[in-house]
């Protein structure tokens, strides 16, 4: 289940490349072609949002873990660290001229996102109130934590409901 979830998170993290391309090239879903193209665009945008909701449901099946307050030594907000990456993705998708090129570019970015398996930053999580943190533990291990909490001071919180995405990435549900 963990492996499938990692594949799914990598897909969700990179799918916005396709959304930007489809909107840029004014693609329209054929069965709603007679209606405004904005409905197609709304569907394109809705797809990653629905997939992200689905990812929360799948995350319930991941292995449980916890992090005790005395093991959190350092907290660093990571929400803004990924903005340059996503801007890069968007600029790449704006420069793509056709579907075959989009498929190749998407696959390359998807494969690298999946194989890195260090972080699964999905900007759609921000819409659902999640925040991203780098947390350094007392064992001097830096983990990536996805949570709805606003963390400020190390050692103030227990994390009893974590789900392990990989050895360095956790989501709190």
């Amino acid at each position: 289940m963990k492996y499938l979830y990692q594949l799914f998170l990598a897909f969700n993290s990179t799918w916005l490349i396709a959304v930007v391309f489809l909107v840029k090239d004014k693609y329209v879903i054929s069965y709603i072609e007679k209606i405004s193209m904005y409905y197609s665009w709304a569907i394109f945008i809705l797809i990653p949002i629905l997939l992200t909701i689905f990812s929360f449901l799948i995350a319930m099946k991941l292995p449980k873990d916890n992090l005790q307050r005395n093991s959190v030594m350092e907290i660093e907000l990571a929400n803004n660290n990924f903005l340059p990456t996503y801007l890069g993705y968007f600029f790449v998708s704006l420069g793509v001229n056709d579907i075959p090129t989009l498929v190749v570019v998407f696959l390359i970015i998807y494969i690298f996102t999946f194989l890195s398996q260090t972080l699964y930053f999905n900007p759609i999580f921000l819409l659902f109130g999640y925040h991203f943190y780098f947390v350094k533990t007392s064992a001097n291990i830096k983990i990536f934590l996805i949570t709805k909490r606003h963390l400020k001071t190390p050692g103030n919180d227990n994390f009893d409901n974590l789900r392990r995405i990989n050895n360095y990435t956790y989501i709190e549900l």
Side-chain angles (χ1 to χ4, degrees):
M1 179 56 86
K2 195 163 80 166
Y3 180 74
L4 288 174
Y5 190 66
Q6 291 170 351
L7 284 169
F8 192 66
L9 275 184
F11 180 82
N12 286 349
S13 297
T14 53
W15 180 247
L16 290 175
I17 295 168
V19 171
V20 171
F21 172 81
L22 294 170
V23 170
K24 173 194 73 119
D25 275 16
K26 297 183 172 85
Y27 274 83
V28 177
I29 298 171
S30 62
Y31 66 89
I32 61 173
E33 191 171 13
K34 295 179 178 155
I35 307 173
S36 172
M37 70 180 159
Y38 299 111
Y39 289 112
S40 289
W41 295 358
I43 291 170
F44 297 151
I45 293 168
L46 194 60
I47 289 170
I49 293 171
L50 293 174
L51 290 174
T52 300
I53 292 170
F54 188 59
S55 75
F56 294 134
L57 298 174
I58 295 172
M60 297 289 207
K61 303 288 186 197
L62 293 174
K64 291 183 179 182
D65 211 328
N66 63 46
L67 189 61
Q68 299 306 315
R69 77 179 66 197
N70 58 349
S71 65
V72 175
M73 305 307 289
E74 197 175 299
I75 296 171
E76 177 187 345
L77 184 65
N79 286 358
N80 299 329
N81 290 10
F82 300 95
L83 185 60
T85 302
Y86 273 88
L87 287 175
Y89 287 175
F90 292 150
F91 289 128
V92 165
S93 62
L94 289 171
V96 172
N97 295 325
D98 53 29
I99 295 285
T101 307
L102 173 68
V103 170
V104 170
V105 168
F106 177 81
L107 285 174
I108 289 169
I109 292 173
Y110 173 78
I111 289 168
F112 286 139
T113 300
F114 175 75
L115 291 177
S116 71
Q117 285 194 12
T118 53
L119 308 174
Y120 292 101
F121 179 79
N122 179 350
I124 304 291
F125 282 14
L126 296 169
L127 295 176
F128 291 101
Y130 281 84
H131 304 281
F132 303 92
Y133 296 94
F134 291 114
V135 175
K136 191 173 185 181
T137 68
S138 57
N140 207 25
I141 297 170
K142 193 174 191 178
I143 64 169
F144 186 64
L145 177 62
I146 305 166
T147 181
K148 282 192 169 189
R149 296 192 214 183
H150 294 278
L151 305 178
K152 294 181 182 175
T153 308
N156 278 358
D157 299 295
N158 277 338
F159 299 94
D160 297 323
N161 198 20
L162 295 179
R163 303 297 175 142
R164 181 187 293 261
I165 297 170
N166 64 27
N167 288 336
Y168 302 101
T169 308
Y170 298 84
I171 185 167
E172 183 177 43
L173 301 171

